[in-house]
C-alpha cells in the first residue's frame, strides 16, 4: 500500500540538511567550542546512596584561591530542577539521595587540574538506610520520598478499569499468568553531556548545550537563577545523540555551568567524560510487570489484569509520564473487553531514571508480547494466530475506551511480516535442523503500537507555537525549538516547509535553535516532531502562501522566484515575512486526566517485527541473525531517514535484549565504562529489513505519524520469543545474557552432576 | 580525561641499550610504554600510578618477526596487526594469527604489541593461550644480557611474572612443528568484536588410531593467569578417546581451573563453558583422527 | 628531553605541524586543542568507541591512546584531510546520500576507519566492512546505512577508476 501523492519534496530522500558539515568534521559540538577567557567546571558527587551531609572539607594542600567553588548556598533562586515535581535539588543541600548526586562545583582555567582538586574535597556523611530496588521500596519500611503513609515512595500511580475483570475468571477456558522484568538501559549517545554558560548582569545567563529541549532548560534556569524569561537564553548546538538522555539532564548541567559562570564572572564549560556521564546521568526505568489473563476456548482474550511497577530512582523527574506511557501500551495492540491495570512508579536511592526512546512502552510491550507467547502455548495456537485473533480493528476500543477511528491494518502488517520473513517455513526448517546442531535457531515475532505525540492532554498543555519566516536574502527559515540530534528534524521540517510553500528544499533552512530567536514548539520527545510540529510547519507554510496570494499578488503555478518576489512585496507591506501557528488538537480528541480515560493518543504507529536467533548451546550465547520490520507510520517523509530510524532503533533494542546490563553496587554504577557496558558493534547487528505501509494521517504533517520510538519497542520481545522457539525455554527478564541462559539450561544437568560426582 | 600528562615524566631513548641502562640504573622506577593500549587507558582514567615512563614504541630491535630453520621469533614490539598478516604465522601458527585478529579492533591491533599483551599479565589476554599451545619460549633482556625461559613458567600469579624490573621482553620464540596437527581456538566474549574474553581455550593435538599422541591445551580467564592445562593434557595423552577418558579429562580440567565471578561473567559459567570448549576440541580430535 | 614541554614535529593532512606539549599528552588533545582540528572526537577516552580514529603512518589508531611523543616525525591523517582538492571524498558523499551519518559524532572516526579499510581492501564484502568498522561504535544507525555507504563509495571509486 503506497499513498498516492503529487508531493515534490515530502516522501523523497532529500539529503540530510547538516550532512555536509558532519562528514567534513566541521559540525561544532559542545566540546568543539571555546570562548575567550573560558574556565572549566567539574562536579563533586556523593559516594553513598543516601545520607546526611555533615561537613565538606577542602584539603589544604590545594591552593583553593585558584578555583571558583559553588555549593547549594550560592544558588540565587530555587534549589531545584523541576520537570514535574520540585523535588530534585540542583545541588544537594544537607542530604544526598543517590550516588553520584552533585554536591559541590569547582572551576579552574586549566581543566587538567580539576581531577586532583576533586579528589581533595572530602565529605563527611551520616549514612541513612538506602532503598535500592522496587521490592524494597514497596515494603515502605523506609520512606525515602513523599508522605509517611501508604502513598510513601510512590511517585505516581494509575488505576484503570474497563468492563468487569472479576466476572470472567470462572468462565475462562485458560488462565495464564506471568511476571516479566526489564533492566535499566544506558542511552550511550556517543557524545557525552556538556554545556557552556556565560553570565552577564545586564543580559543575564546564556547557555550553549548538547540538549533536546531548550525550553525545559530555559524554564529550569529561570527558577534556579530567579531571572525573568528574557534574561535566560538557551542555545542548542550540534548534539551527538540523545535518545531521551538529553531530555531532562541538561537542565541540571546547564544550571551547574551557569552557577559557576555567575560566580567566576567568566564563561564556563563542563563536559563530562564517559565514566561520569554513565555514572551520573539518567537511565531507562527498570520494570516489573505481572499479567493474569483469561482466554476463551477459541483463543480470544476475555480479561487482562496487569500490574506494573517501575523503578524511578531518587527523584520524580519524568517518572509519572513514563509510567503513563507504560500503562497505555501494556495491553498490546489487542482488543479485550475486560481490563484492569494498576501501575506504580517507585522511588529508590539510585540515579533518577529518565526519558529513553520508547518512554515506558518498551518495558510494558516486552511484558505483553512475551506473555502472548505463553498464551499461544497454553491455547495451542501459533504465535501469529493468537495475535491475529485478538488484534484491534477499526471501531474497537482500547483499555481507555478510545475508539479506533483511524484505519488499523494489523492483519496486513502481520501478513507482510510473515511473508518477508518466510516465518512458517523458517520455523519448520529450524525445527528440523536443530537436533543436528549445537547451535539452535529460532524465529519469533512481536506486534505492537506506539502512540504518537504526548499522552492524553499533553499536547494541549504544551500549546506549541512554530512557524517560518523569510530572510532578506531569500531564505525561508523554520522557526522551532525542535532539535536535531541525529533523527533528522532539520531535514524533515525543511522538507515539510518546502512542500507547503511550493519551493525547493534548498531554499529552506533551520533558524538557529536559540530560545532568543525561535518560538516554543515544545520538547523534542514522544515521536511528536514529524506529526505535531511538522503539522504546525505545514499549516504555517500554507498560511503564508495564502497571505502572499491575498496581499502580495502571488499567482497560481508560481516559481521559486515568484515566491520570493512576492515575499519582498509582503515585507514592504507588513515589515516582515513570518507565519506562526499554534497547536490545535484534532477534532473529537478528548482525554479525561482524572479518570484516565479517552483518546490517549491522536494517532498510533503500528508494527510487526520478526527476529531470527541462534543460541549456541556450547557457550549459551544468543545472537540475532536476521531481523525484519514491517510498520505503518503514516506518510514516510524521507525514506532514507525513516529507514535509518528503524534500523538504529532495532539495534538499540537488540542491545536492550541481549547485551546491555547496568550493574550497580550499593546504588553506584559499577560498569561505567564502554569496555564494560556492552552495546552491539558492527559485527553484532544482523541484517535488518525495513518495510513501510503508509496510511496518511490527516492531522500529521502531510500524513506523518510518529516513528522515532517505535523501533525500540519490538526487538526485545521478538528476540526472546525466537529464543523460546529455538530452545523451548521461556525467559522473562532482560537483558538476557549468556550467564542467564546457562543457569536455566544447565540447572537440571547440574543436579544430576551433583548426584553422580 | 582524568590524568594530567604534566604529572608524568615520559622520555625517549636513543636505542635499546640506553633504555636497558636506565632500567638498571633506577630499578622499578621506570615503566616502559609501547602501543599504550593499557597505559593510556589508565592515564585517561586517572589511575596511572607510574610516574616515569620510557618509550618503547618503534624500537628497531623489538620490531621484527624473524624466521629460522627451527624457530619463528616475534620481537616484543611487534604489533598484532603485523602478527595477523604475517605469512609464516598464518601458515604455521594459525591460532596465533586468529587470536591476533580477535584483539580489540583494527585500531587496537595496530598499536597493541605482543610483549604488552604478555607483560600486562591479564588472565583474559588473547595471545597467551595460543602461545602456550605452541610451546613458546620467552626471551628477556636486561643490561646484563638475555635469558630464555619456557613461556608456560612466565606467569606466576595475578599480574605476577618472572620479569625483573630491569628486564624487557626481547622476543617470543615459537618452535616450528612440521607435523600435521589438529588445532582449536575459541574465544567467548559478550559480543563478537571489541570483546574482553570471558573464557577462551586453545588446543593442538596429534592422534593415531583414536589415541592422542601429543596434546597441548591452554585457557584464558579461568585462573589468575593465562594457564596451560597440564593435568588435562596428562589425562588425555596416550589415551583412547572414549567416554571414560572424556570424563577424566573434565575432572582434571576442573581440578586445575580457578574461575572467578567478576563484572564480565560468573565462575560457574566459566567453569561450564571451559568444559564445553574442551568437549568441542576433543570431538574435533575424534573426528579428524585417522583410523 | 623535558617532561613538561616537548617540541614535536609531524605532518597532519599533508601539512607540517610543530607543537610544544607534555610528551604524554594524547594525540587527540593535540589535534583538538593545539591544532584546532576538532573533527576528531572523544567518545570514551579508552580506545573502545573509535570516535577519535585517525591514521598514523598508514595505520588506523585511536588518537586517545597515542601519546604525542610517539608521533614525532609521523604522518597523521584526520577527517579534515579526507577531502580531495576541496571536493568531498567518495565516502563523505556516500555517507550523506545513503544516510550513513545521523547525529554525526561518530562520523569522522567512522569515515577515517572506512577510508583505511578501502585503502587496503578496495571492494570489501559486508563481512570485511563489519570487521573493519567494529572498533567504531555508532548508536544511531544500527550500522546498516554505514555499510551501504561504504559499499556505495567503493563502487563509485571503482567506476571512476574504470572511467579513467
Amino acid at each position: 500500500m503506497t499513498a498516492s501523492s503529487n508531493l515534490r519534496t515530502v516522501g523523497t530522500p532529500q539529503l540530510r540538511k547538516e550532512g555536509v558539515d558532519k562528514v567534513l568534521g566541521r559540525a561544532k559540538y559542545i566540546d568543539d567550542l571555546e570562548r575567550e577567557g573560558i574556565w572549566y567546571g567539574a562536579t563533586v558527587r556523593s559516594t553513598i546512596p543516601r545520607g546526611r551531609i555533615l561537613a565538606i572539607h577542602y584539603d589544604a594542600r590545594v591552593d583553593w584561591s585558584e578555583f571558583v567553588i559553588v555549593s547549594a548556598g550560592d544558588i540565587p533562586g530555587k534549589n531545584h530542577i523541576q520537570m514535574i515535581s520540585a523535588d530534585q535539588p540542583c545541588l544537594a543541600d544537607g542530604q544526598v539521595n543517590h550516588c553520584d548526586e552533585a554536591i559541590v562545583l569547582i572551576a579552574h582555567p586549566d581543566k587538567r587540574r580539576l581531577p586532583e582538586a576533586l579528589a581533595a574535597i572530602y565529605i563527611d556523611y551520616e549514612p541513612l538506610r538506602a532503598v535500592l530496588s522496587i521490592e524494597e521500596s514497596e515494603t515502605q519500611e523506609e520512606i525515602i520520598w513523599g508522605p509517611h503513609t501508604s502513598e510513601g515512595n510512590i511517585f505516581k500511580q494509575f488505576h484503570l478499569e474497563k468492563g468487569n475483570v472479576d466476572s470472567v475468571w470462572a468462565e475462562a477456558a485458560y488462565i495464564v499468568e506471568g511476571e516479566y522484568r526489564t533492566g535499566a538501559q544506558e542511552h550511550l549517545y556517543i557524545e557525552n553531556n556538556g554545556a557552556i554558560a556565560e553570565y552577564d548582569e545586564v543580559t543575564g545567563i546564556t547557555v550553549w548545550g548538547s540538549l533536546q529541549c531548550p525550553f525545559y532548560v530555559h524554564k529550569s534556569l529561570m527558577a534556579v537563577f530567579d531571572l525573568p524569561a528574557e534574561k535566560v537564553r538557551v542555545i542548542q548546538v550540534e548534539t551527538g545523540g540523545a535518545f531521551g538522555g538529553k531530555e531532562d539532564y541538561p537542565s541540571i548541567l546547564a544550571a551547574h555551568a551557569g552557577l559557576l559562570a555567575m560566580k567566576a564572572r567568566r564563561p564556563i564549560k563542563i563536559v563530562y567524560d564517559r565514566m561520569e556521564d554513565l555514572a551520573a546521568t539518567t537511565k531507562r526505568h527498570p520494570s516489573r510487570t505481572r499479567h493474569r489473563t483469561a482466554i476463551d476456548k477459541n483463543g480470544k482474550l476475555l480479561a487482562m489484569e496487569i500490574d506494573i511497577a517501575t523503578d524511578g530512582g531518587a527523584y520524580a523527574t519524568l517518572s509519572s509520564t513514563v509510567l503513563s506511557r507504560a500503562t497505555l501500551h501494556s495491553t498490546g495492540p489487542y482488543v479485550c473487553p475486560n481490563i484492569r491495570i494498576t501501575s506504580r512508579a517507585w522511588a529508590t536511592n539510585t540515579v533518577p531514571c529518565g526519558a529513553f526512546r520508547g518512554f515506558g512502552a518498551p518495558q510494558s510491550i516486552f511484558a505483553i508480547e512475551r506473555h502472548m507467547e505463553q498464551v499461544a502455548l497454553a491455547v495451542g495456537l501459533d504465535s501469529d494466530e493468537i495475535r491475529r485473533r485478538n488484534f484491534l480493528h477499526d471501531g474497537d476500543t482500547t483499555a481507555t475506551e478510545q475508539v479506533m477511528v483511524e484505519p488499523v491494518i494489523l492483519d496486513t502488517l502481520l501478513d507482510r511480516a510473515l511473508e518477508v520473513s518466510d516465518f512458517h517455513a523458517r520455523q519448520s526448517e529450524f525445527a528440523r535442523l536443530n537436533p543436528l546442531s549445537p547451535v539452535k535457531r529460532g524465529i519469533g515475532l512481536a506486534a505492537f503500537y506506539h502512540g504518537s505525540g504526548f499522552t492524553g492532554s499533553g499536547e494541549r498543555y504544551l500549546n506549541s507555537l512554530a512557524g517560518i519566516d523569510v530572510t532578506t536574502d531569500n531564505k525561508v527559515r523554520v522557526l522551532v525549538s525542535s532539535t536535531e540530534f541525529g533523527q533528522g528534524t532539520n531535514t524533515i521540517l525543511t522538507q515539510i516547509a518546502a512542500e507547503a510553500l511550493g519551493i525547493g528544499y534548498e531554499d529552506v533552512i533551520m533558524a538557529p535553535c536559540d530560545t532568543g530567536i525561535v518560538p516554543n514548539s515544545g520538547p523534542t520527545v514522544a515521536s511528536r516532531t514529524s506529526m505535531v510540529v511538522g503539522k504546525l510547519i505545514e499549516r504555517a507554510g500554507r498560511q503564508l502562501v495564502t497571505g502572499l496570494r491575498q496581499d502580495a499578488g502571488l499567482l497560481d503555478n508560481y516559481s521559486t522566484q515568484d515566491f520570493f518576489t512576492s515575499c519582498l512585496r509582503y515585507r514592504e507591506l507588513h515589515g516582515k515575512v513570518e507565519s506562526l501557528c499554534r497547536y490545535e488538537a484534532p477534532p473529537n480528541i478528548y482525554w479525561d486526566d482524572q479518570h484516565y480515560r479517552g483518546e490517549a493518543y491522536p494517532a498510533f504507529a503500528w508494527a510487526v517485527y520478526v527476529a531470527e536467533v541462534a543460541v549456541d548451546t556450547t557457550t549459551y550465547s544468543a545472537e540475532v541473525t536476521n531481523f525484519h520490520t514491517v510498520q505503518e507510520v503514516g506518510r514516510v517523509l524521507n525514506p532514507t531517514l525513516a529507514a535509518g530510524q528503524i534500523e538504529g532503533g532495532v539495534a538499540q533494542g537488540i542491545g536492550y535484549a541481549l547485551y546491555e546490563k547496568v550493574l550497580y553496587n550499593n546504588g553506584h554504577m559499577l560498569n561505567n565504562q564502554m569496555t564494560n557496558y556492552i552495546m552491539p558493534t558492527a559485527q553484532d547487528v544482523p541484517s535488518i529489513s525495513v518495510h513501510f505501509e503508509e496510511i496518511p494521517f490527516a492531522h500529521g504533517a502531510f500524513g506523518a505519524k510518529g516513528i522515532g520510538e517505535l523501533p525500540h519497542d519490538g526487538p526485545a520481545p521478538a528476540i526472546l520469543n525466537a529464543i523460546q522457539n529455538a530452545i523451548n525455554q521461556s525467559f522473562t527478564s532482560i537483558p538476557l545474557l549468556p550467564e542467564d541462559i546457562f543457569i536455566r539450561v544447565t540447572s537440571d544437568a547440574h543436579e544430576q552432576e551433583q548426584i553422580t560426582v | 580525561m582524568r590524568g594530567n600528562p604534566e604529572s608524568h615524566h615520559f622520555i625517549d631513548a636513543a636505542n635499546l641499550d640506553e633504555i636497558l641502562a636506565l632500567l638498571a640504573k633506577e630499578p622499578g622506577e621506570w615503566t616502559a610504554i609501547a602501543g599504550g593500549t593499557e597505559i593510556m587507558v589508565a592515564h585517561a582514567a586517572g589511575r596511572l600510578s607510574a610516574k616515569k615512563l620510557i618509550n618503547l614504541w618503534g624500537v628497531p630491535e623489538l620490531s621484527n618477526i624473524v624466521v629460522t630453520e627451527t624457530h619463528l621469533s616475534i620481537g616484543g614490539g611487534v604489533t598484532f596487526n603485523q602478527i595477523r598478516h604475517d605469512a609464516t604465522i598464518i601458515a604455521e601458527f594459525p591460532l596465533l594469527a586468529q587470536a591476533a585478529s580477535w584483539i580489540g579492533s583494527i585500531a587496537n591491533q595496530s598499536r597493541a604489541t605482543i610483549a604488552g599483551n604478555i607483560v600486562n599479565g591479564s588472565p583474559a589476554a588473547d595471545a597467551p593461550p595460543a602461545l602456550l599451545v605452541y610451546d613458546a619460549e620467552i626471551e628477556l633482556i636486561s643490561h646484563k644480557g638475555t635469558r630464555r625461559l619456557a613461556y608456560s613458567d612466565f606467569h606466576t600469579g595475578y599480574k605476577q611474572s618472572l620479569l625483573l624490573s630491569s628486564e624487557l621482553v626481547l622476543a617470543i620464540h615459537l618452535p616450528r612443528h612440521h607435523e600435521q596437527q589438529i588445532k582449536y581456538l575459541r574465544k567467548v566474549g559478550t559480543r563478537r568484536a571489541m570483546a574482553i574474553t570471558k573464557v577462551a581455550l586453545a588446543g593442538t593435538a596429534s592422534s593415531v588410531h583414536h589415541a592422542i599422541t601429543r596434546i597441548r591445551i591452554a585457557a584464558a580467564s579461568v585462573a589468575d593467569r593465562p594457564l596451560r592445562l597440564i593435568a588435562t593434557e596428562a589425562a588425555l595423552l596416550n589415551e583412547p578417546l572414549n567416554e571414560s577418558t572424556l570424563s577424566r579429562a573434565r575432572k582434571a580440567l576442573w581440578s586445575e581451573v580457578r574461575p572467578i565471578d567478576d563484572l564480565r561473567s560468573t565462575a560457574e559459567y566459566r567453569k561450564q563453558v571451559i568444559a564445553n570448549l574442551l568437549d568441542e576440541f576433543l570431538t574435533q580430535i575424534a573426528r579428524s583422527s585417522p583410523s | 628531553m623535558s617532561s613538561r614541554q616537548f617540541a614535536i614535529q609531524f605532518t597532519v593532512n599533508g601539512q607540517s605541524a610543530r607543537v610544544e606539549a607534555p610528551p604524554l599528552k594524547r594525540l587527540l588533545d593535540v589535534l583538538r586543542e593545539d591544532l584546532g582540528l576538532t573533527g576528531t572526537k572523544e567518545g570514551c577516552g579508552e580506545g573502545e568507541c573509535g570516535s577519535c580514529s585517525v591514521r598514523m603512518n598508514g595505520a588506523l589508531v585511536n588518537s586517545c591512546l597515542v601519546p604525542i611523543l610517539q608521533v614525532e616525525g609521523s604522518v597523521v591523517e584526520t577527517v579534515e584531510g579526507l577531502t580531495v582538492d576541496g571536493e568531498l571524498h567518495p565516502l563523505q558523499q556516500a555517507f550523506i546520500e545513503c544516510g550513513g551519518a545521523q547525529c554525526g559524532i561518530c562520523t569522522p572516526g567512522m569515515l577515517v576507519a572506512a577510508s583505511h579499510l578501502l585503502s587496503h581492501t578496495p571492494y570489501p564484502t559486508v563481512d570485511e566492512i563489519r570487521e573493519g568498522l567494529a572498533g567504531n561504535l555508532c548508536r544511531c544507525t544500527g550500522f546498516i546505512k554505514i555499510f551501504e555507504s561504504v559499499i556505495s563509495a567503493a563502487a563509485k571509486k571503482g567506476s571512476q577508476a574504470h572511467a579513467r
Side-chain angles (χ1 to χ4, degrees), chain B residues 12-30:
Chain B
D12 215 351
N15 53 46
L16 184 58
D17 287 342
E18 208 178 291
I19 296 168
L20 295 171
L22 191 65
L23 294 183
K25 196 171 126 206
E26 298 177 32
E29 290 285 300
W30 292 88

Side-chain angles (χ1 to χ4, degrees), chain A residues 679-686, chain B residues 191-194, chain C residues 110 126-127 129-138 142-144 146-147:
Chain A
M679 67 162 268
T681 71
Q683 290 194 284
D684 301 294
V685 175
Chain B
R191 58 185 168 192
R192 290 196 150 199
M194 300 296 294
Chain C
M110 198 68 78
V126 173
D127 281 348
I129 297 170
R130 285 177 182 277
E131 192 197 357
L133 302 182
N136 294 73
L137 297 179
C138 171
F143 303 100
I144 306 293
I146 292 173
F147 303 155

Side-chain angles (χ1 to χ4, degrees), chain B residues 14 31 40 47 60 64 81 121-122 129-130 139 144 149 192 203 205-206 209 221 231 241 276 280 291:
Chain B
T31 299
M40 293 301 286
R47 49 178 175 76
N64 294 315
N81 184 54
S122 166
E139 187 174 7
K144 290 184 188 157
L149 27 139
R192 290 196 150 199
S206 307
H209 301 304
S221 292
L241 272 177
N276 293 354
E280 196 172 65
S291 43

Side-chain angles (χ1 to χ4, degrees), chain A residues 13 15-16 18-20 22-29 31-33 111-112 185-192 238-243 269 273-275 356-357 484-487 639-641 643-645 647-649 651-652 655 660 672-677 679-688, chain C residues 22 25-26 29-30 32-33 36-46 48-51 79-83 86-89 91-108 111 126-127 129-148:
Chain A
L15 302 187
R16 175 174 285 279
E18 74 292 354
V20 172
K22 284 177 172 172
V23 299
L24 286 172
R26 203 166 63 185
K28 296 290 182 202
Y29 299 79
D31 202 20
D32 303 334
L33 300 171
K111 62 183 166 194
R112 296 194 168 81
Q185 186 185 19
E186 162 58 31
H187 309 82
L188 216 72
Y189 30 69
I190 305 297
E191 181 206 29
N192 293 314
E238 203 72 70
T239 294
F243 313 108
K269 183 199 270 194
D273 70 8
R274 183 60 60 180
M275 287 193 285
F356 193 155
R357 194 179 205 165
E484 170 69 52
F485 39 90
Q487 34 14 335
T640 305
L641 265 50
Q645 283 299 292
E647 291 158 0
Q652 220 164 31
E660 300 178 26
N672 59 330
Q673 289 175 279
M674 277 194 173
T675 181
N676 291 325
Y677 183 83
M679 67 162 268
T681 71
Q683 290 194 284
D684 301 294
V685 175
S687 147
I688 301 168
Chain C
K25 189 168 182 176
R26 305 179 300 177
D29 297 327
V30 169
R32 292 177 55 83
E33 296 169 8
L37 295 171
T38 55
T40 304
K41 310 298 184 190
E42 174 165 6
C44 69
E46 54 175 359
E48 285 286 325
C49 75
S51 302
V79 68
E80 288 93 344
L82 277 183
T83 50
E87 297 277 312
L88 293 185
H89 185 282
L91 277 166
Q92 291 172 313
Q93 189 64 37
F95 267 63
I96 298 173
E97 287 171 5
C98 302
Q102 287 193 21
C103 85
I105 195 79
C106 76
T107 307
L111 284 165
V126 173
D127 281 348
I129 297 170
R130 285 177 182 277
E131 192 197 357
L133 302 182
N136 294 73
L137 297 179
C138 171
R139 191 61 156 167
C140 292
T141 62
F143 303 100
I144 306 293
K145 301 242 173 292
I146 292 173
F147 303 155
E148 290 170 14

Side-chain angles (χ1 to χ4, degrees), chain B residues 86-99:
Chain B
D86 182 87
T88 313
I89 294 178
I90 292 169
E92 298 182 24
F93 306 97
L95 301 183
L96 182 59
Q98 185 83 73

Side-chain angles (χ1 to χ4, degrees), chain A residues 43-110:
Chain A
T43 312
V44 178
R45 299 184 179 280
S46 56
T47 51
I48 63 166
R50 186 168 176 239
R52 291 195 185 87
I53 298 170
L54 301 178
I56 302 174
H57 306 285
Y58 296 85
D59 194 318
R61 282 170 293 187
V62 173
D63 180 1
W64 294 105
S65 69
E66 292 178 13
F67 291 80
V68 164
I69 301 171
V70 163
S71 57
D74 293 298
I75 295 171
K78 298 193 175 91
N79 183 12
H80 64 237
I81 302 291
Q82 180 168 1
M83 292 310 291
I84 290 161
S85 305
D87 62 333
Q88 184 172 24
C90 176
L91 289 170
D93 189 5
Q95 176 156 343
V96 294
N97 289 305
H98 63 84
C99 283
D100 300 292
E101 185 166 3
I103 302 169
V104 172
L105 306 165
I106 61 171
H108 191 274
D110 181 354

